[in-house]
Amino acid sequence: MTPLQQRTVRELVLHIRQERYPAGHHLKASFLAEQLGVSRSPVNAALAHLAELGVLEHDRNRGFFLRCPADELDSALVALVGGSEDPLYQRIVDLRLARQLPDKVLESDLMRLLDTSRANLGRVLSRIQEEGWIERRAGQGWEFLSLIDSRQAYEESYYYRLALEPAALLSPDFRADPAELAECLRQQEFIAESGYLSMTPFELFEANSHFHETLALWSHNRFIHQSLVRLDQLRRLVEYRQAARRSPRREQALEHIAILQCIAGGELVEAAALMRRHLNQALRAKREFRLEP
């Protein structure tokens, strides 16, 4: 599968679980494409892949249907959506976080180091490129981009967010989309109720970043939104490790809900104050967590 199709599979599984679809639910490609923000082609590929795995039932005349309730997908699909399901991908993550890979590398050197084929390495590097922490060099080879992979870098990123995200809520052009707000609330309520126990680290991180990036988008300030999206790309790998800690995720979801409720009530000054408190508490928690693998 292409990197886009793999990402669509993960996002589709997350959507199914968040919506708590029952067994037999009809999954329509056109509706899912709209929900996931992609074309129908990767959605159709994702549906076909999940049918091959036995998650969906495919009727050539009627389409794709869920074989079991969404709540029962947890254990079967952890490896699929967990973000570290590929051993080769995980090896590169570990080496990079341990600073055992140089910034600039050749594919031939990586193939020898990782004892893998060019095809397997190319597949994983394409995924990493899509995630935003490596890019092709002009001529040959690859260059890893900077990550938030040290305590100092992590604290600096949070001080930046403390200046950025409360300001987004106070932007004169801030406008919340009612449908998106309702979706964010539903997602955070699911996490707070039980999702924090069953969701994978990948899902927890994506739900968290979706919340913060959506609020930044509502500011209608392109620079605030673009800056936050870039920060999320830089902190992705370390956050995957921290997302394994379950109880803090429930507390974070409850804080997200309080912020969303203030936004829904038009109390943007209070929402900004809650956001500042939320980020300060997260910063204190990160200081207690060992970043290195």
Side-chain angles (χ1 to χ4, degrees):
M1 302 185 74
T2 67
L4 175 59
Q5 291 170 344
Q6 292 172 353
R7 187 186 72 195
T8 303
V9 169
R10 294 194 294 267
E11 293 179 352
L12 177 55
V13 171
L14 176 59
H15 172 79
I16 291 171
R17 293 174 62 186
Q18 288 177 343
E19 297 299 322
R20 302 184 183 183
Y21 289 142
H25 180 82
H26 187 193
L27 295 164
K28 300 179 181 179
S30 57
F31 172 77
L32 294 170
E34 181 180 350
Q35 292 295 304
L36 302 181
V38 296
S39 67
R40 291 184 60 175
S41 178
V43 170
N44 283 326
L47 290 170
H49 183 63
L50 291 176
E52 291 176 2
L53 293 175
V55 176
L56 306 180
E57 181 177 351
H58 183 209
D59 185 301
R60 295 186 62 182
N61 297 319
R62 297 187 302 146
F64 293 91
F65 298 84
L66 194 59
R67 283 185 177 271
C68 64
D71 291 344
E72 296 180 10
L73 296 180
D74 298 349
S75 59
L77 293 182
V78 164
L80 177 64
V81 301
S84 59
E85 75 284 352
D86 189 319
L88 182 59
Y89 173 91
Q90 187 60 51
R91 181 90 187 282
I92 294 175
V93 169
D94 290 340
L95 290 172
R96 185 60 182 163
L97 288 179
R99 298 178 177 82
Q100 295 177 6
L101 283 179
D103 291 341
K104 298 177 181 179
V105 293
L106 298 176
E107 282 193 21
S108 56
D109 292 337
L110 281 176
M111 288 166 56
R112 284 193 295 272
L113 175 65
L114 302 170
D115 191 24
T116 190
S117 68
R118 187 177 299 276
N120 283 336
L121 180 62
R123 170 180 53 80
V124 173
L125 290 178
S126 294
R127 170 182 170 180
I128 294 172
Q129 184 180 36
E130 184 180 325
E131 291 181 351
W133 51 286
I134 199 173
E135 61 183 20
R136 282 192 179 275
R137 295 175 59 196
Q140 60 177 342
W142 296 80
E143 182 170 1
F144 287 102
L145 304 181
S146 298
L147 290 171
I148 298 175
D149 59 357
S150 69
R151 189 173 302 280
Q152 180 179 352
Y154 220 76
E155 291 189 4
E156 289 172 359
S157 74
Y158 265 88
Y159 288 130
Y160 182 51
R161 291 179 65 187
L162 279 163
L164 195 70
E165 295 193 57
L169 292 164
L170 299 176
S171 167
D173 296 320
F174 185 92
R175 294 188 306 278
D177 180 276
E180 292 175 353
L181 193 150
E183 172 61 25
C184 276
L185 265 174
R186 183 166 60 249
Q187 183 181 67
Q188 295 302 316
E189 288 169 350
F190 167 70
I191 294 172
E193 180 183 339
S194 62
Y196 73 99
L197 293 173
S198 61
M199 293 171 69
T200 66
F202 172 88
E203 292 175 321
L204 288 167
F205 173 77
E206 295 300 326
N208 180 280
S209 61
H210 175 71
F211 165 81
H212 287 279
E213 290 174 17
T214 297
L215 269 58
L217 183 64
W218 291 343
S219 74
H220 291 85
N221 184 313
R222 73 195 72 183
F223 300 106
I224 290 177
H225 181 246
Q226 290 171 1
S227 296
L228 194 59
V229 169
R230 180 57 181 153
L231 274 178
D232 281 341
Q233 290 176 332
L234 294 176
R235 68 189 181 95
R236 179 183 303 271
L237 299 184
V238 173
E239 285 288 352
Y240 281 169
R241 293 177 180 274
Q242 298 197 43
R245 300 187 302 160
R246 298 293 173 173
S247 56
R249 294 295 168 172
R250 181 175 186 273
E251 297 304 318
Q252 290 173 6
L254 292 172
E255 293 169 9
H256 290 170
I257 291 168
I259 293 170
L260 290 169
Q261 288 173 339
C262 283
I263 294 173
E267 301 171 357
L268 297 183
V269 173
E270 177 64 18
L274 290 177
M275 177 64 78
R276 178 171 292 278
R277 185 185 310 163
H278 170 66
L279 293 172
N280 267 316
Q281 290 174 345
L283 174 57
R284 287 194 293 271
K286 304 303 182 186
R287 285 172 173 163
E288 299 173 358
F289 187 78
R290 185 170 179 263
L291 291 177
E292 293 78 15

